[in-house]
């Protein structure tokens, strides 16, 4: 059993080192002029402050889709730790939106599920949602909010409740409600 534990520790260290190396590469990529231009080109984001926030967080144009799933991560962290079932639920949703295990977005999600994302990440999400919803119809905005609420609730219910009946905890519900209010506050005033 000691060999198994030592082997697991070596494997964890290896993946941690790879993750750190990739994170460093992402930061370097976003900080380059070419990386910045690609982020602007691929997203259409004109808000230079948001671009700088994304650069500071190491979020590339490839990883931007992970930021759109940040509310799911925050719900998972509502009780100060991510349960393995919540992790699996988020990765299932990520797969449904096209995030593969070899993508930058997947790596960002994994990182956020291992370490609570900094508050600046939530701020960047809010600004991204504001920028994104400016060109959306009111109906599309309502669909976005509904889909996000359904996904956050799915993550919260994934840990079960009493006898696995899928109960949302008080802290998770507060997080969901707070994120929905934050999203609604980013919508254009039409």
């Amino acid at each position: 059993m000691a060999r198994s534990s030592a082997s697991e520790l070596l494997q964890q260290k290896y993946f941690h080192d790879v993750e750190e190396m990739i994170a460093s590469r992402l930061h370097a990529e976003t900080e380059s002029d070419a990386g910045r231009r690609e982020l602007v080109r691929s997203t259409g984001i004109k808000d230079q402050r948001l671009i700088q926030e994304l650069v500071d967080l190491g979020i590339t144009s490839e990883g931007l889709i992970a930021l759109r799933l940040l509310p799911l991560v925050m719900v998972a962290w509502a009780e100060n730790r991510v349960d393995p079932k919540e992790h699996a639920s988020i990765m299932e949703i990520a797969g449904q939106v096209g995030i593969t295990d070899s993508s930058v977005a997947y790596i960002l999600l994994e990182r956020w599920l291992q370490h609570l994302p900094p508050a600046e990440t939530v701020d960047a999400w809010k600004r991204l949602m504001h920028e994104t919803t400016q060109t959306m119809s009111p109906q599309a905005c309502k669909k976005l909010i509904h889909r996000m609420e359904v996904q956050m609730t799915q993550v919260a219910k994934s840990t079960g409740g009493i006898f696995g009946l899928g109960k949302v905890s008080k802290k998770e519900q507060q997080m969901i409600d707070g994120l929905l209010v934050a999203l609604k506050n980013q919508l254009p005033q039409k």
Side-chain angles (χ1 to χ4, degrees), residues 38-56:
E38 176 59 20
L39 190 56
V40 171
R41 186 199 65 73
S42 67
T43 63
I45 296 173
K46 294 172 180 49
D47 182 342
Q48 289 303 308
R49 186 170 151 212
L50 174 57
I51 293 294
Q52 186 58 49
E53 287 176 12
L54 296 173
V55 166
D56 291 345

Side-chain angles (χ1 to χ4, degrees), residues 108 117 187:
L108 283 171
L187 298 178

Side-chain angles (χ1 to χ4, degrees), residues 20-141:
E20 289 300 317
M21 191 171 57
I22 291 168
S24 295
R25 191 196 86 208
L26 291 176
H27 276 287
E29 186 178 315
T30 57
E31 289 173 353
S32 74
D33 288 338
R36 216 180 264 266
R37 282 192 305 274
E38 176 59 20
L39 190 56
V40 171
R41 186 199 65 73
S42 67
T43 63
I45 296 173
K46 294 172 180 49
D47 182 342
Q48 289 303 308
R49 186 170 151 212
L50 174 57
I51 293 294
Q52 186 58 49
E53 287 176 12
L54 296 173
V55 166
D56 291 345
L57 292 167
I59 297 174
T60 64
S61 59
E62 293 175 53
L64 200 58
I65 192 169
L67 188 59
R68 293 185 180 178
L69 297 181
L70 183 71
L72 309 181
V73 173
M74 298 311 295
V75 169
W77 277 104
E79 294 182 326
N80 299 319
R81 70 175 195 82
V82 176
D83 183 275
K85 290 179 182 175
E86 292 169 325
H87 182 281
S89 180
I90 291 169
M91 292 319 219
E92 177 184 330
I93 293 167
Q96 292 168 358
V97 298
I99 296 175
T100 62
D101 62 356
S102 61
S103 69
V104 170
Y106 185 93
I107 293 165
L108 283 171
L109 281 174
E110 278 293 342
R111 187 173 185 85
W112 294 338
L113 290 168
Q114 299 300 319
H115 309 282
L116 178 66
E120 295 85 6
T121 311
V122 176
D123 293 340
W125 170 77
K126 289 177 186 177
R127 295 176 64 74
L128 176 65
M129 290 296 97
H130 177 75
E131 186 85 14
T132 301
T133 58
Q134 294 306 300
T135 57
M136 294 172 69
S137 70
Q139 294 84 0
C141 289

